[in-house]
Amino acid sequence: MQALKNPRLLTREVLAGLVVALALIPEAIAFSIIAGVDPRVGLFSSFVMAVAIAFLGGRPAMITAATGAIALVIAPVARDHGMDYFIATVLMGGAIQIVLAVLGVAKLMRFIPRSVMVGFVNALAILIFVAQLPQLFDVPWLVYPLVAVGLLILFLMPKVTKVIPAPLVTIVLLTAAVVIFGWSVPNVGDQGELPQSLPELFIPNVPLTLETLGIIAPYALAMAVVGLLESLMTAKLVDDITDTHSPKTREAWGQGVANMLSGAFGGMGGCAMIGQTMINVKASGARTRISTFLAGVFLLVLVLALGDIVAIIPMAALVAVMILVSVATFDWHSIRPGTLRRMPKSETAVMLITVIATVWTHNLAIGVVLGVIAAMVMFARRVAHFASVTRTVDDDAAVARYVVDGELFFASSNDLTTQFEYVEDPARIEIDMSRSHVWDASTVAALDAVVTKYERQGKTVAITGLNDTAAALQARLTGTLTGH
């Protein structure tokens, strides 16, 4: 570990962990309220998951803790069935993530196109900003100048020095100002009571019956999918920022184990946190597991030993930090007029669908899934126009020759049958497939239909030039698909 040998790098990692811990506290409390559970549930979950993922995860410097996405998904369990069922859901969600990791679900990440990724990042930036708005309405007027000063410090501080993370300086200076001048503004303590004791093992008291499974399984599955999707997308984003690669399958099962440990200590589960990860990687410049581990340790120390001091941190300081994070997270290049002019319309549409669906539902999984579906539909439409058929007739030999060009699959092969002159053609027809590729059963069915139509006219058809894969597919399926 290079950071352990280099005091400057180590200082950066330690301070980054401290900033992240400070930013985690109000969020963990807020997410606990969303989930309908005690604030200590979110705080303990964040501590356990941050420490666990520092050892188990695949992506160094990525922060995993209690998140709003997971809180929204499993909130109905706590509301309708109580705490024991809630914890059982978290445990089962973690177990499902481990199973999905073993099945290789992380490899599916390569099918998420860049336009969906950009939409995901922009939607996250908007959601991070929107989440700060409740702290800016119906508050004392002093909050606004405090947030403005906080943003000024965050913007100017990196130009002066990057040794101490700007978010930490902002939090310390604004807290000092509030205490010295005795200003009365909302603070962390107003968000909920901080715990006084260490987390303890929590074994959910639920009957091991199919009825219990029926209650928790749908929520556990949703939690597992949302958690993995958000974590793997965030890991990919950190890969891009740091120009490094991380093992996604390890990250997936690491998330599962971390969620199970979180549930075992009475936590609410979670996943990778984009906002805190951006504070860690972009604002504070952290790059190793040390920052992730210390974020969890500092969180526990701050809450238990320094709870009274943490409680007086003004929310304005944390709001300023999160606003800067949302601005830094947003991909401004993607909405510049020049970029929009150059970008294919379909790519821009996919990005907008992802953003709108995510912001509208506050669910990243729904946004990404709809974005991927939209990208698939648009890709199929684009590729469908790439297939063409050219006809030449050799009157001397009484042969009509057709050359098929392009990729043939369900979208492009549907029009294939309409591009032949069944009545006008002479008795012999040759269809040259050497410049095309047969991808699926739809294309074999279309070729069968073409042959059948010619045979009804009493004409003979020879299909030539199929490559080995396409020939094998046609040999296996021809004559079995059209019912003739």
Side-chain angles (χ1 to χ4, degrees):
M1 279 293 255
Q2 197 186 347
L4 288 172
K5 295 173 190 160
N6 185 325
R8 194 174 60 81
L9 292 181
L10 187 59
T11 305
R12 189 180 68 189
E13 297 293 319
V14 171
L15 292 174
L18 180 59
V19 174
V20 170
L22 288 167
L24 275 174
I25 293 167
E27 296 234 339
I29 295 169
F31 297 148
S32 301
I33 294 161
I34 290 171
V37 294
D38 194 81
R40 87 190 79 193
V41 175
L43 289 163
F44 286 162
S45 188
S46 296
F47 158 67
V48 172
M49 293 198 75
V51 170
I53 212 72
F55 294 100
L56 301 167
R59 176 65 257 176
M62 189 167 81
I63 304 296
T64 292
T67 53
I70 298 294
L72 285 168
V73 169
I74 56 176
V77 184
R79 188 182 64 230
D80 301 338
H81 303 285
M83 197 62 192
D84 287 296
Y85 280 89
F86 180 82
I87 296 300
T89 306
V90 174
L91 289 166
M92 189 178 178
I96 292 171
Q97 285 182 328
I98 294 169
V99 171
L100 290 173
V102 171
L103 293 174
V105 163
K107 291 188 178 72
L108 296 176
M109 282 300 293
R110 72 185 68 167
F111 295 110
I112 295 180
R114 185 188 169 279
S115 46
V116 174
M117 192 74 195
V118 172
F120 167 83
V121 168
N122 290 349
L124 275 169
I126 293 165
L127 287 179
I128 291 168
F129 181 79
V130 168
Q132 309 316 309
L133 295 180
Q135 303 295 340
L136 296 172
F137 290 113
D138 293 327
V139 289
W141 68 269
L142 266 170
V143 168
Y144 303 113
L146 279 173
V147 171
V149 170
L151 286 169
L152 202 62
I153 296 167
L154 287 163
F155 180 69
L156 295 175
M157 182 77 189
K159 297 187 189 316
V160 179
T161 177
K162 290 187 177 176
V163 175
I164 305 170
L168 181 60
V169 177
T170 306
I171 291 166
V172 170
L173 289 180
L174 292 189
T175 304
V178 167
V179 172
I180 291 164
F181 295 107
W183 292 329
S184 176
V185 290
N187 57 30
V188 171
D190 299 335
Q191 302 300 302
E193 194 185 346
L194 298 172
Q196 308 293 321
S197 61
L198 287 165
E200 296 169 357
L201 270 177
F202 186 107
I203 309 298
N205 182 21
V206 294
L208 298 172
T209 60
L210 284 173
E211 186 190 357
T212 303
L213 191 66
I215 291 167
I216 67 172
Y219 296 105
L221 182 63
M223 171 191 161
V225 172
V226 169
L228 278 187
L229 204 65
E230 196 163 335
S231 299
L232 294 173
M233 294 282 278
T234 306
K236 194 166 185 289
L237 187 62
V238 178
D239 286 356
D240 292 344
I241 292 167
T242 59
D243 294 323
T244 54
H245 177 68
S246 60
K248 302 297 182 288
T249 299
R250 177 177 168 182
E251 184 60 50
W253 69 255
Q255 290 287 333
V257 175
N259 268 315
M260 291 190 78
L261 287 170
S262 163
F265 283 97
M268 61 187 273
C271 60
M273 296 192 79
I274 184 82
Q276 271 64 16
T277 300
M278 289 299 108
I279 289 177
N280 200 37
V281 176
K282 263 194 168 172
S284 304
R287 290 291 180 271
T288 73
R289 296 174 189 276
I290 299 169
S291 55
T292 311
F293 173 72
L294 289 178
V297 173
F298 281 139
L299 174 67
L300 195 66
V301 171
L302 287 168
V303 167
L304 295 181
L306 305 171
D308 295 341
I309 296 171
V310 170
I312 61 171
I313 294 173
M315 287 305 294
L318 296 163
V319 167
V321 171
M322 295 314 284
I323 288 174
L324 180 85
V325 165
S326 78
V327 171
T329 303
F330 197 92
D331 185 350
W332 296 100
H333 179 73
S334 68
I335 58 166
R336 282 184 191 155
T339 310
L340 292 172
R341 271 199 305 275
R342 283 195 303 272
M343 207 45 95
K345 298 278 186 288
S346 58
E347 300 272 326
T348 306
V350 168
M351 182 191 80
L352 286 173
I353 288 166
T354 308
V355 170
I356 292 164
T358 305
V359 173
W360 192 270
T361 61
H362 280 239
N363 187 328
L364 294 161
I366 291 174
V368 170
V369 168
L370 286 177
V372 170
I373 291 169
M376 284 161 61
V377 170
M378 300 211 186
F379 176 75
R381 273 189 59 191
R382 251 198 342 261
V383 177
H385 302 305
F386 289 168
S388 64
V389 178
T390 312
R391 173 180 182 252
T392 54
V393 179
D394 185 342
D395 291 325
D396 298 335
V399 177
R401 291 192 179 87
Y402 288 88
V403 177
V404 182
D405 263 294
E407 305 298 317
L408 298 172
F409 65 113
F410 61 90
S412 57
S413 62
N414 282 338
D415 300 334
L416 201 62
T417 52
T418 61
Q419 301 194 43
F420 292 85
E421 305 289 344
Y422 302 103
V423 179
E424 281 85 26
D425 280 345
R428 278 175 53 228
I429 294 93
E430 283 180 16
I431 302 174
D432 180 2
M433 304 288 290
S434 58
R435 285 156 65 177
S436 63
H437 187 88
V438 176
W439 284 105
D440 60 3
S442 300
T443 308
V444 176
L447 287 172
D448 278 359
V450 170
V451 172
T452 306
K453 284 176 187 288
Y454 275 119
E455 284 174 349
R456 282 201 197 121
Q457 304 281 340
K459 298 170 184 180
T460 57
V461 182
I463 297 175
T464 61
L466 285 169
N467 61 33
D468 293 345
T469 315
L473 183 69
Q474 208 216 4
R476 194 165 72 245
L477 295 178
T478 191
T480 65
L481 299 168
T482 55
H484 294 289

